[in-house]
Amino acid sequence: MRFVDEFRDPQLAQTLLERLHQRAARLPYSAERPMQIMEVCGGHTHAIFRFGLDKLLPPQLEFIHGPGCPVCVLPMGRIDACCEIAAHPAVIFCTFGDALRVPGKQGSLLQARERGADVRVVYSPLDALQLARDYPQRQVVFFALGFETTLPVTAVTLQQARREGLTNFSVFCQHISLLPTLRSLLQQDDVRIDAFLAPGHVSMVIGTAPYGFISEEFGKPLVISGFEPLDMLQSVLMLVEQVCEEDCKTANQYRRVVPEAGNLLAQQAMSEVFRLTGDSEWRGLGRIEASGIVLAPAYGSFDAEQRFQPQSQAVADDPRARCGEVLTGRCKPHHCPLFGTGCTPHNAFGALMVSSEGACAAWYQYRYQEPQQPETEDVTGVTG
């Protein structure tokens, strides 16, 4: 495929790996105490396991998974609030497919649909806006979630709804900002992160400058990376080169997509429609200061939370689950006692197992081997 095949070239990958192994030998790390590189984005996590990149690294390097999947950090209480709103008979509740099976205390949105709620999967908030035009007698609610990647399209949708004067359209806002979370991780004494692979999609919107505090305040190198194998190998090599040269900065490997200034039109729409204010609860991570995003006063009439006043409360995670530890790089998915037993893609306990960007889903899809059932003999005498 154009602009894909060239980033999967085996010979180029071999050249990068040889260089990476040579340079890693100069690092002040070892197999016993490797340099821990946090890939923040769930898209990176799936690429790592799909292409086996973690198995190609020299022993001085290790990938650890971060909180870069917005569906994975959805608190149970917020899912319960969605189900409560969806249960209103006049409501058409619209959501991205990733959030459909995320469990809350009262079940998932998929289960709410089975109970009779009108829950529909959309590919864009603009699809939900069209439903509001098509069904003027119904209240259409869009579950707006995601980091800075999806904020612009929600903002543009709300701008259009305001221009049209639609009164039957609203959003249940669960947008969150990634940058305060990275700061929070770096401030925790029991989290060890030596370097970051930053998400290309978020960076395409915000640019490179907002990551400056990571190197300037915390002395950690960061590289904004693409998602193909050669992108990620080159990005890891760039991090290693920084450490070898005793340098520390924000570097941009994904220049073909990420401009230094980001997307100025997207930033303008976001600043008009949203405000970054207050604390926000993250599943498995607790409350993070100044990471919550709310609608600006001029768009308050489109706030589904104000319109429907859901009564759902915060819900604590089951202490057996290690979702928060996986999201902060403290452990790998298969270290959780529920992994592959109490939590599977078909019967998920946490969002990390059902999101297309979830670390547990990646481990389960590419690494987990389900226990083999003993062979049984059927009535025909054929084993199976």
Side-chain angles (χ1 to χ4, degrees):
M1 292 181 290
R2 185 169 174 80
F3 302 128
V4 173
D5 285 347
E6 56 265 51
F7 294 98
R8 298 180 182 179
D9 186 290
Q11 291 185 338
L12 291 177
Q14 184 62 41
T15 300
L16 278 171
L17 284 168
E18 290 174 1
R19 175 68 174 173
L20 184 58
H21 279 259
Q22 291 171 1
R23 298 297 281 169
R26 297 180 53 191
L27 290 171
Y29 297 97
S30 64
E32 294 72 30
R33 204 282 191 187
M35 174 179 168
Q36 293 192 330
I37 301 171
M38 174 172 279
E39 86 277 357
V40 176
C41 180
H44 284 152
T45 303
H46 277 257
I48 287 169
F49 292 116
R50 179 185 178 189
F51 298 106
L53 301 182
D54 57 324
K55 295 184 175 182
L56 300 176
L57 293 183
Q60 298 90 343
L61 303 176
E62 178 186 16
F63 286 121
I64 58 174
H65 317 311
C69 166
V71 175
C72 298
V73 296
L74 276 172
M76 282 191 178
R78 299 299 280 175
I79 293 295
D80 290 339
C82 288
C83 293
E84 185 178 333
I85 293 172
H88 286 260
V91 166
I92 299 174
F93 195 91
C94 301
T95 179
F96 293 134
D98 266 12
L100 193 64
R101 293 189 294 132
V102 176
K105 192 70 173 179
Q106 306 304 320
S108 65
L109 282 166
L110 180 61
Q111 291 169 316
R113 185 165 69 182
E114 292 169 350
R115 293 191 293 266
D118 191 350
V119 177
R120 307 189 188 188
V121 173
V122 295
Y123 296 97
S124 163
L126 293 169
D127 295 338
L129 187 66
Q130 186 58 48
L131 285 172
R133 299 186 188 108
D134 295 341
Y135 297 93
Q137 75 282 9
R138 304 282 298 276
Q139 286 290 326
V140 177
V141 180
F142 173 68
F143 187 17
L145 72 160
F147 297 121
E148 287 84 351
T149 309
T150 52
L151 269 166
V153 68
T154 304
V156 169
T157 301
L158 286 169
Q159 288 174 330
Q160 184 62 32
R162 188 184 184 200
R163 282 193 293 268
E164 295 181 26
L166 292 175
T167 58
N168 68 324
F169 179 76
S170 58
V171 299
F172 184 73
C173 189
Q174 185 58 32
H175 282 299
I176 43 181
S177 178
L178 182 62
L179 297 173
T181 311
L182 301 184
R183 179 181 290 277
S184 175
L185 283 175
L186 290 167
Q187 290 172 337
Q188 298 180 31
D189 294 334
D190 60 340
V191 175
R192 183 170 71 84
I193 305 169
D194 298 309
F196 286 97
L197 287 182
H201 295 153
V202 168
S203 307
M204 179 176 61
V205 175
I206 67 174
T208 62
Y211 296 108
F213 72 93
I214 293 176
S215 58
E216 295 165 6
E217 296 181 32
F218 296 96
K220 308 293 184 183
L222 178 146
V223 173
I224 297 166
S225 175
F227 297 90
E228 295 300 324
L230 295 189
D231 284 323
M232 299 191 66
L233 290 175
Q234 183 184 21
S235 297
V236 171
L237 178 58
M238 291 169 69
L239 289 171
V240 169
E241 295 282 8
Q242 285 195 46
V243 176
C244 289
E245 296 169 7
E246 297 184 353
D247 192 8
C248 185
K249 61 186 178 183
T250 298
N252 183 7
Q253 181 274 338
Y254 207 26
R255 291 179 179 273
R256 66 184 186 277
V257 172
V258 177
E260 298 296 314
N263 187 318
L264 299 180
L265 289 176
Q267 294 168 22
Q268 182 180 2
M270 290 160 52
S271 65
E272 177 186 327
V273 175
F274 296 107
R275 296 290 181 270
L276 178 62
T277 180
D279 299 346
S280 180
E281 181 188 359
W282 294 54
R283 186 171 188 175
L285 302 176
R287 301 198 71 82
I288 296 179
E289 182 180 352
S291 65
I293 292 173
V294 299
L295 296 180
Y299 289 85
S301 62
F302 295 100
D303 189 342
E305 200 157 6
Q306 295 300 317
R307 185 174 296 187
F308 295 96
Q309 298 287 319
Q311 299 302 307
S312 301
Q313 303 296 317
V315 178
D317 287 333
D318 189 307
R320 296 174 299 164
R322 302 185 69 181
C323 299
E325 294 174 69
V326 174
L327 289 166
T328 54
R330 292 181 174 95
C331 78
K332 299 294 174 64
H334 65 290
H335 295 150
C336 176
L338 299 179
F339 180 83
T341 55
C343 185
T344 69
H346 305 293
N347 184 30
F349 180 86
L352 283 76
M353 186 61 85
V354 296
S355 170
S356 63
E357 293 190 352
C360 294
W363 270 84
Y364 194 94
Q365 180 178 358
Y366 297 109
R367 295 288 166 82
Y368 180 66
Q369 298 293 325
E370 294 190 15
Q372 295 295 314
Q373 298 296 322
E375 291 187 349
T376 58
E377 187 172 348
D378 64 18
V379 293
T380 65
V382 178
T383 58

